[in-house]
Amino acid sequence: MNDWTPSARLRDLIDAYLDGTVSAGDVAELEALLRADEGARTHFARYAQTHTDLALDLAASAAADRALAALPGPVSVPGTPRSPGPGRTWAARSVRLLVAASLVLGLSVGGGVVGLIAAQTGPRERPGPVARTLTLDFREPRAGTVADASGAGTGFTHRLPGTGSGLPARDPSLTLVPGGGLDVAATSSDLNTRYRLEQAEFPGVRLADLGFTGAEDFEVAAAVADAPAMAFVGQFGVYAGTSAEWATRGGLVSQRAADSFRQFVVNTRDGRDKDAYFIGLGATGDDLRVRLARVGGKFTVAVENRTAGTTSTLGTRHAEFLDGRADVVVGVFACDPRGTDRKAVRFSTFTATVWVPAGR
Amino acid sequence: MDPDPLPADRRALFAECLHAHRGRLFAYVHALVRNLADADDVFQLTALALWRRFDTYDPTRSFLNWALGVARLEAATWLRTRARDRLRFSDDLTELLIEAFAAPTDREASDRRDALPRCVAKLPGGDRELLHECYQTGTDVAAVAARLGRSPSSVHNSLRRIRRVLFECIERTVARGARGTT
C-alpha cells in the first residue's frame, strides 16, 4: 500500500474541501499541495474514494430507496446483488447509475431515449418490475416533438390536455438553450380557475409511451437552474395529470415578498386547486430539483434546493382521481398569472420513469 | 437527434466498461462537484457523453482514463454554468487527479469497497449513529447539531474523525489482504 504520509494540514484541508466548509484561500492552498506532490494526489484520491463509498453506502437517496423498497422483486446489476444492510443504498444507486448506461443503449420513444435496466441485469430470482426511463437533457433538438420558437423539437411529445390550445406550432414561449436546457417562459395562466389555459405552458410526455397502464408506480423529476423572480403566485415545477381540470403538481410558488418562494404541492380538482400544502422557503437564483413520485400508490413531492443544500418532502391528500388512469401526462410547467414580463424558467434536465412488470 | 445506434458488440462493450469502472468514475466526479446529488447528475451526463463519443474510443487504451477525461469536462461545465466554480480546482489539477483516481487496480478498488462495511461495523455505536443520522437520513449537519445540542463545527469534527478512522481501517484491511495474496 501507499507508505506516503500526509501532513496534518493536508488532511485538514482535504476534509474541509470534501465537507464543503472550505474557504477560497484553503482551496488555493490545497491545490498547491496537490499539484506539488504525486503522493498527495494519490492520498486525496484514496480518501475521496472512501468518502464517496461511505456516502453511497450510507447516504439515502430518497427516491432510489423508496423505489427500491417499493419493488416486489429484486432488481440487480451484475455483481451487485440487492441485499439489505450497508450495501443496500449502493445497490440502489447502482441501479440509477445503470440507468445512465442503459438509457443510452435503449429505445427511442417519442424522440426521447428510454432505458431498460432489465437489458443489463443478470439472472433474476423472480421477475420484478423494470424501470423504463425517459431522459431529456435538451442538448439537441428532437424531430417530431413539441417545437420551440425556432422550430427545434424540445423532446416533449405532448401537452397536458386542455392547455396550450392557442399556442402556435413554433411556440414562442419555449427555447432550447445552446449547450443544454429548455427555457419555458411563464405565461399569464393558471390551472386554478382554468385561467387562460389556451396559453398555459404544460409540455410533457405520456406515461403510456413508457408502458404505463394506470397501476404502475412512476416518478417525474426536473432540475431548474437559477430560479427567476416572479410575481405573487407565479409558479413552476412538475406535474402529472389527465387534463387541465384533473392534475397534481408541485414545485415553487412565488410569495408576496420579493424574490422569495415556497415549496408547494396541490391537486387540481375539476379546475380548482384543492389540498394545497406549502413548506419551506426558496429564493430567486436558487438551483432546484423537483420530483413528483407515486410509489406504493402514494404521491409525494420532493424539492431539493441545491443552493441552500436542503430537501423537503411534501405530501397532500391523495390524488385518487389519477388512480387507474392510463392516460396520465407528466411534464414541466411555468406560469405567472399576475406577471407581465414572461419570465423564463430554465429546465436543465427532465426524467420520467415508470416501473413496469418484467417481461411486459 | 439521437446518435446512430452502435453494433451490438460495441453496445455490450460500452455497458461492460461503464459498469466495471462506475465506482471510480463516480468518486472522481463526486470529488470535483462534492455534492452527491450533483455527482449523480454529472455522472448521468458523463455517461451520455461517453456514449455519444464511444465511436472515437480506442479499445486498446484505458477506458477509465478516457472516461475520467470526459467526466472532467462535464464536471467543469456543470460547475461553471451554475456559478459554483469559485471553490473548485483548476483544470490543470483536475487533469493531474485523473491519474490518481485511475491508479488503483480493479481488485484494489473492489477490496476497498468490500472493507468499508466491515470497518463501519467496528465503529463505536455512537459513531455509527452519527454516521447514520448525517448520511443515511440525509439530515443537514446543522440540523443534527441543533438536535444534539452541539455546534455544527463540533459535528463536522466528529465526522472527520470517524472518516479518518474508517480510511485507516480500510488501508490496513486492504494491505493485509494484499500481503496475504502475495
Side-chain angles (χ1 to χ4, degrees), chain B residues 84-140:
Chain B
R84 294 186 196 164
D85 56 352
R86 192 174 67 87
L87 296 178
R88 77 178 184 95
F89 291 144
S90 70
D91 289 345
D92 288 348
L93 179 57
T94 57
E95 191 163 3
L96 285 172
L97 286 172
I98 286 177
E99 281 183 39
F101 276 84
T105 63
D106 292 347
R107 171 70 185 273
E108 184 186 337
S110 171
D111 287 349
R112 296 182 73 85
R113 216 164 32 243
D114 289 346
L116 178 62
R118 283 181 277 152
C119 291
V120 169
K122 292 177 184 174
L123 290 172
D127 286 353
R128 286 203 305 273
E129 286 174 21
L130 188 61
L131 280 181
H132 172 85
E133 193 148 15
C134 291
Y135 283 89
Q136 197 160 10
T137 65
T139 309
D140 182 61

Side-chain angles (χ1 to χ4, degrees), chain A residues 31 78 81 104 121 125 133 161 168 190 232 237 265 273 276 300 311 348:
Chain A
E31 164 130 3
V104 294
T121 54
E125 295 166 19
T133 299
D190 198 345
F232 179 52
V265 58
D273 279 356
T300 56
T311 300
S348 52

Side-chain angles (χ1 to χ4, degrees), chain A residues 222 236-238 250-252 262-265 279 281-282 287-292 300-306 309-314:
Chain A
F236 59 87
V238 297
L252 260 65
R262 297 205 79 185
Q263 298 155 15
F264 82 105
V265 58
I279 193 172
L281 291 172
D287 289 351
L288 305 139
R289 184 181 185 86
V290 185
R291 189 171 54 235
L292 169 67
T300 56
V301 169
V303 180
E304 178 190 351
N305 186 323
R306 293 172 163 185
T310 58
T311 300
S312 301
T313 301
L314 300 78

Side-chain angles (χ1 to χ4, degrees), chain A residues 63 66 218-220 291-295 298-302 355:
Chain A
R66 278 200 310 273
F218 64 89
E219 178 179 296
V220 52
R291 189 171 54 235
L292 169 67
R294 187 174 79 183
V295 176
K298 302 294 183 188
F299 281 99
T300 56
V301 169
W355 282 272

Side-chain angles (χ1 to χ4, degrees), chain A residues 12 15 17 19 21 31 35 52 58-60 78 80 93 96 104 120 139-142 287 304 306, chain B residues 1-2 15 19 22 30-31 34 37 40-41 44 48 51 74 84 90 92 108 135-136 160 163-164 175:
Chain A
D12 287 344
D15 270 321
Y17 173 82
D19 283 345
T21 57
E31 164 130 3
R35 287 173 73 107
T52 299
L58 296 176
T80 314
R93 194 168 291 271
R96 171 141 194 230
V104 294
Q120 292 185 72
R139 290 194 176 197
E140 294 164 336
R142 296 182 182 279
D287 289 351
E304 178 190 351
R306 293 172 163 185
Chain B
M1 300 302 297
D2 293 333
H19 180 70
R22 71 193 190 287
H30 190 209
R34 292 180 294 172
D40 253 358
D41 285 344
Q44 300 266 353
L48 279 170
W51 174 250
E74 290 293 331
R84 294 186 196 164
S90 70
D92 288 348
E108 184 186 337
Y135 283 89
Q136 197 160 10
R160 291 174 187 182
R163 208 157 54 208
R164 290 179 185 185

Side-chain angles (χ1 to χ4, degrees), chain A residues 185-218:
Chain A
T187 57
S188 178
S189 60
D190 198 345
L191 293 190
N192 189 29
T193 71
R194 303 180 176 89
Y195 182 63
R196 294 181 176 174
L197 292 179
E198 73 282 358
Q199 61 176 3
E201 284 294 351
F202 283 73
V205 297
R206 292 188 312 197
L207 288 181
D209 289 336
L210 295 170
F212 185 74
T213 64
E216 298 84 357
D217 286 340
F218 64 89

Side-chain angles (χ1 to χ4, degrees), chain A residues 242-331:
Chain A
T242 53
S243 70
E245 283 76 31
W246 298 96
T248 186
R249 68 186 190 277
L252 260 65
V253 57
S254 183
Q255 302 299 289
R256 291 187 190 279
D259 296 322
S260 67
F261 292 92
R262 297 205 79 185
Q263 298 155 15
F264 82 105
V265 58
V266 67
N267 294 327
T268 304
R269 298 173 180 274
D270 198 18
R272 290 275 179 177
D273 279 356
K274 306 282 186 184
D275 323 320
Y277 183 65
F278 302 89
I279 193 172
L281 291 172
T284 301
D286 283 355
D287 289 351
L288 305 139
R289 184 181 185 86
V290 185
R291 189 171 54 235
L292 169 67
R294 187 174 79 183
V295 176
K298 302 294 183 188
F299 281 99
T300 56
V301 169
V303 180
E304 178 190 351
N305 186 323
R306 293 172 163 185
T307 302
T310 58
T311 300
S312 301
T313 301
L314 300 78
T316 188
R317 182 180 163 189
H318 182 61
E320 79 290 340
F321 49 86
L322 296 180
D323 289 348
R325 295 292 299 260
D327 54 344
V328 175
V329 175
V330 298

